[in-house]
Structure formats: structure tokens, C-alpha cells
Amino acid sequence: MQRYFVEKHVDNKIEICGEDARHIVKVMRMTSGDKVLCCTKEGKTALSMITEIANDCVLLEVEEWQEEEKELPVSVTIANGLPKGDKLELVIQKGTELGAAEFIPFIAARSIVKWDSKKASKKVERFKKIAKEAAEQSHRTVVPSVVEPCSLNKLIEVSETYTHKIVAYEEEAKRGEKANFASILSRLQKGDSIIIVVGPEGGLTEEEVEKLRQANFVPCSFGPRILRTETAPFYALSAVSYETELMR
Amino acid sequence: MQRYFVEKHVDNKIEICGEDARHIVKVMRMTSGDKVLCCTKEGKTALSMITEIANDCVLLEVEEWQEEEKELPVSVTIANGLPKGDKLELVIQKGTELGAAEFIPFIAARSIVKWDSKKASKKVERFKKIAKEAAEQSHRTVVPSVVEPCSLNKLIEVSETYTHKIVAYEEEAKRGEKANFASILSRLQKGDSIIIVVGPEGGLTEEEVEKLRQANFVPCSFGPRILRTETAPFYALSAVSYETELMR
């Protein structure tokens, strides 16, 4: 069944306006009496019936609040060093499917692309749309947040509130380090938050890794193969899901 | 250090011809005395020095055979129902980075694309190139194989030689099944082979799943979220690596 993330609901009355309303009417060709799933800002899901289609809005009434456990038991933030091309779009689309809670791009020393503030806000709008569509498609109940790129210092400042801090560091993979990541994941508890920093193409510099180390980030390898900047988040998220959702 | 997969080596003498030779000479601008890593067909890696550049070939001498453990301890085959567009390219590139041994596309009931034999062989050539480049980039010692698309019946026939057979089935995810995949992975032993079947867009039909069940494929969910056809292999490969390379 088609699902939509809704902005507003008052008790059992839901209003969907704008692009999603057009999708319901023009693309899905739904009318009064048809049903969709509505996910609220609080992460709840309601089987809802269309009661009225008016102007640019669709009005619905909740038939049944559903118990769904679609979200990872821990909150995972992916912080990618700004990569080239459309790699961040791929990270956000697939990362959303794989359960990420938040994406924070940061300007790494080896990031080649430059985003001025106009470009950044346009890009972030696009990323938010990708996250929303991927969340709908993968049956999530929450849309992950995407913020504008920040500096490494700002990222470190923000990281203070997280339960676990990880930096993916390929030198660790080359050295054969393999215990850190599994050790952290095995200690995860429901409600924990993890931030995972991944370098851009060319990786993080030693200075950046040192700075992160000093801020209590643990350098981890994701196996002995060298993963690209856009592939490392898939590994991390899949491993978190496997450890916390399938193994336990 | 740059690495190349080599076809021929006699004892400590290696010859690289064709495109890779051009890459060494024209792109990397290397000359006699420069060093590269050569990966042989047997999965061994040699630190090698260029001794001669002749016509379209580069001759090298092995300086040191290296002990590298870059390959998953189990052999994972990804069998995707033929998807649309360039999704298979993404599966092969990222799947190679994540350690897959083999890719077998198959023609699923809901596969929309049709490949005639001319198109298929051209596509597979391109896929092999993608696999080779991703293997070099991720420091693997073996290039995964890619074969032309086959039927589901043929796939089932081929699957008889595998130690473990899995079918990713989103209905299992919706039903909340979560034990099967972790149970199989926890029993994996070095040298085992696993084949993982993933449907195309729209998923496998019930008939296809039933056929696979009868051939002893175990239906597994990869967590409670619905993953796209190209994302499921990333989850599966990451979980296999996490279980067999990081946790143990």
C-alpha cells in the first residue's frame, strides 16, 4: 500500500497537501474511499481512508493506528566527507533504505567540490526529497534528516551528544585491524546513537584522523577490502542492522 | 600502490599486455624500475618491478610474493533478477568492493528488460570490466566472475553445488521473519559457498519463491525495511563480511 509522510494531523483527521496530494490524485488516481498509509512526524503509521479531495489537498480519516517496527533500534548518523558527482545522492537513497537517521556532509581536507551557500541549499532540498522518497519506498516510518555541509570542527562539536563515535579509516583496514567495529556494535543498546565519519575520495588526512581520535572517535575498519566513500556507509548500516535486528 | 590482475606469469617473470600495459605506460607514466602489485589468477599477489617496456607489453620481475587476506572466507554468489537501467552495474561495482565471488543475473518473471544474445554478450563484457576495476580499486586479489543471464530453472540447476542457498523475500520482512539469515551466517565455515537470490523490481512471484523453496533455498529477510533489488546484495555481502571477518 502507498505510504505518505504527513505534516499535519489532528487526532484522526489528516490533511495531505502539495506534491503528495497531486501524487495521490494524478498519479495514483485515487478517490474518496481509497486507502493509504500515513506516517506522522512522531513516527506513527495510520491506515487512512480518503474522505475528500479539495483543491490542492486531500483529506483523510484514520481507520487504524498500526504498530510497525521499521526503524533501527539505534540512531545512526552518516557523516560523509563531501564527495564528487552524485555520490551523496546514492549514499542518501541507499542509506535511507538501510535505516540511517541522519546525514551530515562535511567539508574534508581532500574534498574537491566546493558548494556555495546557494548551491548547498538547493542540493540539500534535493537530498531531502530523495530521503523522503526512499523512506516511503522502503516502508520506513521516519524520514532521515539531511543538513547542509559543515566543517570538521563543527562536526566534532556536534558529535559530543552521541553515544558512540566511529571513523572509518582505511589505514586500519590495511593494518588488519578488525576488532573495533564489532566490539562497538556488540555493545549497542536500544536508543543509543552512533555517528560514523567516512572520508571523501582519497580518504581522510592523518591530521583529520588525529583530530577525530582526540575527540574520542574510534578508528574502525570495515573488513580487509578498501571501500569507496559511498560504499562504506552501506557496510556500516547493514552491519548495524544485522547486529541489532537480525542477530538478537 | 597500483595493482593489476595478470593473465600470465612463469615463475617470477610476469608479462602485462593490452589495456593494462597502456595504463601503466600512458596513464601512470611508469618506466623500468617502477613497482606495481600483480595479482595472479591463483589469487596470489606479487610486488613486482618493471624490467622492460616493449611494444604493447610490460615485462616485470617479482620482488616479493605477499601474504594478503583480502577475500571473504566464504564464496558469495549474487543472483539478481534482471533489473532495469544500470542497476546491475551498481550491484557489480559495489558488490565487488564488498567481496562477492560471482554474479549470475537471471530472467525473473517480473524482469521487464529483454536482452538478446548480442546485447547480453556486450553487457557482460562491460560488467567484467567494471568488476576488474572495482577489484583493483578495493585491493582484492581475485576478480569476481560475471556470466550471461540465465533462466530461473538453470539457476536452480547451478545452485546444487552450493553449501547454502538463500532467497531474499520481502514478504518475509513484512511478516517480521528475522532469524533465518543470521542463523545461516552464524553456521558459515571457511570455504563454504552461498548463493543469494534477489528479485527484480516488483520482487519475485510467489511461484518463483515456491520453486526456490522446493530447491532448498531458505527465504530470508534482510531486516524490517524493504530494500530495492540493487540494495539487498549490499546488505547481504556486508553482513557476511561482518559475521565472518570482523566478529570472529
Side-chain angles (χ1 to χ4, degrees):
Chain A
M1 188 174 293
Q2 197 67 28
R3 64 176 62 211
Y4 297 94
F5 289 94
V6 301
E7 296 290 322
K8 281 189 273 184
H9 76 108
V10 180
D11 297 331
N12 281 352
K13 305 273 183 207
I14 293 174
E15 193 180 84
I16 299 179
C17 297
E19 206 166 311
D20 283 342
R22 282 191 293 280
H23 189 265
I24 291 172
V25 180
K26 306 280 185 200
V27 180
M28 303 301 293
R29 295 175 180 277
M30 286 181 172
T31 53
S32 292
D34 285 336
K35 291 173 190 177
V36 301
L37 290 171
C38 295
C39 301
T40 70
K41 290 235 163 214
E42 301 83 43
K44 287 166 69 187
T45 305
L47 176 66
S48 313
M49 192 178 72
I50 298 173
T51 53
E52 200 184 327
I53 293 174
N55 299 325
D56 200 26
C57 290
V58 174
L59 305 182
L60 305 102
E61 190 149 320
V62 172
E63 297 220 314
E64 191 191 352
W65 289 99
Q66 300 192 326
E67 287 302 322
E68 287 194 315
E69 282 222 21
K70 299 291 186 182
E71 296 300 319
L72 281 173
V74 293
S75 162
V76 184
T77 295
I78 300 293
N80 267 93
L82 218 51
K84 284 190 282 187
D86 51 9
K87 285 179 189 167
L88 215 45
E89 295 188 7
L90 187 71
V91 169
I92 290 166
Q93 188 191 66
K94 303 283 161 248
T96 298
E97 289 175 61
L98 293 166
E102 189 183 32
F103 298 95
I104 311 181
F106 72 97
I107 300 142
R110 294 203 181 111
S111 288
I112 289 166
V113 285
K114 301 270 176 273
W115 292 7
D116 56 36
S117 64
K118 197 177 151 197
K119 187 172 172 184
S121 69
K122 222 172 150 181
K123 281 256 189 194
V124 170
E125 274 321 298
R126 183 164 161 68
F127 292 156
K128 285 183 175 172
K129 191 161 181 269
I130 290 170
K132 181 167 167 285
E133 286 170 0
E136 283 166 3
Q137 183 272 333
S138 58
H139 296 195
R140 288 189 58 178
T141 53
V142 176
V143 182
S145 67
V146 190
V147 298
E148 290 198 14
C150 64
S151 67
L152 182 66
N153 287 339
K154 177 74 188 166
L155 184 70
I156 287 172
E157 210 181 297
V158 166
S159 76
E160 278 171 24
T161 59
Y162 290 78
T163 333
H164 305 277
K165 308 189 211 180
I166 286 171
V167 50
Y169 190 39
E170 66 174 24
E171 292 305 318
E172 300 293 320
K174 288 184 194 155
R175 264 187 233 121
E177 185 289 312
K178 50 177 225 164
N180 289 350
F181 190 52
S183 156
I184 291 172
L185 297 202
S186 68
R187 284 182 280 119
L188 285 179
Q189 296 190 337
K190 195 172 158 65
D192 278 1
S193 56
I194 324 172
I195 182 164
I196 300 172
V197 172
V198 176
E201 299 95 341
L204 296 166
T205 63
E206 274 183 45
E207 290 71 31
E208 285 175 318
V209 174
E210 194 43 44
K211 236 181 188 178
L212 288 161
R213 253 189 236 269
Q214 280 171 15
N216 299 320
F217 278 79
V218 181
C220 290
S221 120
F222 296 159
R225 290 162 298 282
I226 305 301
L227 303 179
R228 287 177 209 235
T229 178
E230 71 276 22
T231 316
F234 308 157
Y235 187 106
L237 287 161
S238 304
V240 169
S241 162
Y242 179 70
E243 170 78 46
T244 63
E245 294 182 316
L246 297 195
M247 278 177 56
R248 295 182 186 177
Chain B
M1 190 175 294
Q2 198 66 29
R3 63 177 62 211
Y4 297 95
F5 288 95
V6 301
E7 295 290 322
K8 282 189 273 185
H9 76 106
V10 180
D11 298 331
N12 282 351
K13 304 273 183 205
I14 293 174
E15 193 181 84
I16 299 178
C17 296
E19 206 167 313
D20 282 343
R22 281 192 294 280
H23 189 265
I24 291 173
V25 179
K26 306 280 185 199
V27 181
M28 303 300 294
R29 296 178 179 275
M30 288 180 171
T31 54
S32 293
D34 285 336
K35 289 172 191 179
V36 301
L37 290 170
C38 294
C39 301
T40 69
K41 290 236 166 215
E42 301 84 43
K44 287 166 69 187
T45 305
L47 176 67
S48 312
M49 194 179 71
I50 298 173
T51 54
E52 200 183 327
I53 292 173
N55 299 325
D56 201 25
C57 290
V58 174
L59 306 181
L60 306 100
E61 190 150 320
V62 173
E63 296 219 316
E64 191 190 353
W65 289 99
Q66 299 192 327
E67 287 302 323
E68 287 194 315
E69 283 223 19
K70 299 291 186 183
E71 297 300 319
L72 280 173
V74 294
S75 163
V76 184
T77 294
I78 300 293
N80 268 92
L82 219 50
K84 284 190 282 186
D86 51 8
K87 286 179 188 165
L88 215 45
E89 296 190 7
L90 187 71
V91 169
I92 290 166
Q93 188 192 65
K94 304 283 163 248
T96 298
E97 289 175 60
L98 292 166
E102 191 182 29
F103 299 94
I104 310 181
F106 72 98
I107 300 143
R110 295 202 180 114
S111 287
I112 289 166
V113 285
K114 301 269 177 271
W115 292 8
D116 56 33
S117 64
K118 198 177 151 197
K119 187 173 172 185
S121 68
K122 223 173 149 180
K123 282 256 191 194
V124 171
E125 275 319 299
R126 184 162 160 69
F127 292 156
K128 285 183 176 172
K129 193 161 179 267
I130 290 170
K132 181 167 168 283
E133 286 171 0
E136 284 166 1
Q137 183 272 331
S138 58
H139 295 195
R140 289 190 57 178
T141 53
V142 176
V143 182
S145 66
V146 190
V147 299
E148 289 197 13
C150 64
S151 67
L152 182 66
N153 287 339
K154 178 74 189 165
L155 184 70
I156 287 173
E157 209 181 298
V158 166
S159 76
E160 279 171 24
T161 58
Y162 289 79
T163 332
H164 305 278
K165 306 189 213 180
I166 287 171
V167 50
Y169 189 40
E170 65 174 27
E171 292 305 319
E172 300 293 320
K174 287 183 195 156
R175 264 188 233 122
E177 184 289 312
K178 50 177 226 163
N180 288 350
F181 190 53
S183 156
I184 291 172
L185 296 203
S186 68
R187 284 182 281 119
L188 285 179
Q189 297 190 336
K190 196 173 158 67
D192 278 1
S193 56
I194 324 172
I195 181 164
I196 299 172
V197 173
V198 177
E201 298 95 343
L204 297 166
T205 63
E206 274 183 44
E207 292 70 31
E208 285 175 319
V209 174
E210 194 43 44
K211 235 181 191 179
L212 287 161
R213 254 188 236 269
Q214 280 171 16
N216 299 320
F217 278 79
V218 180
C220 290
S221 117
F222 296 159
R225 291 162 297 282
I226 305 300
L227 302 180
R228 287 177 210 237
T229 177
E230 72 275 23
T231 316
F234 308 158
Y235 187 106
L237 287 161
S238 302
V240 170
S241 161
Y242 180 69
E243 170 77 48
T244 63
E245 294 182 317
L246 297 195
M247 278 177 57
R248 294 184 185 175

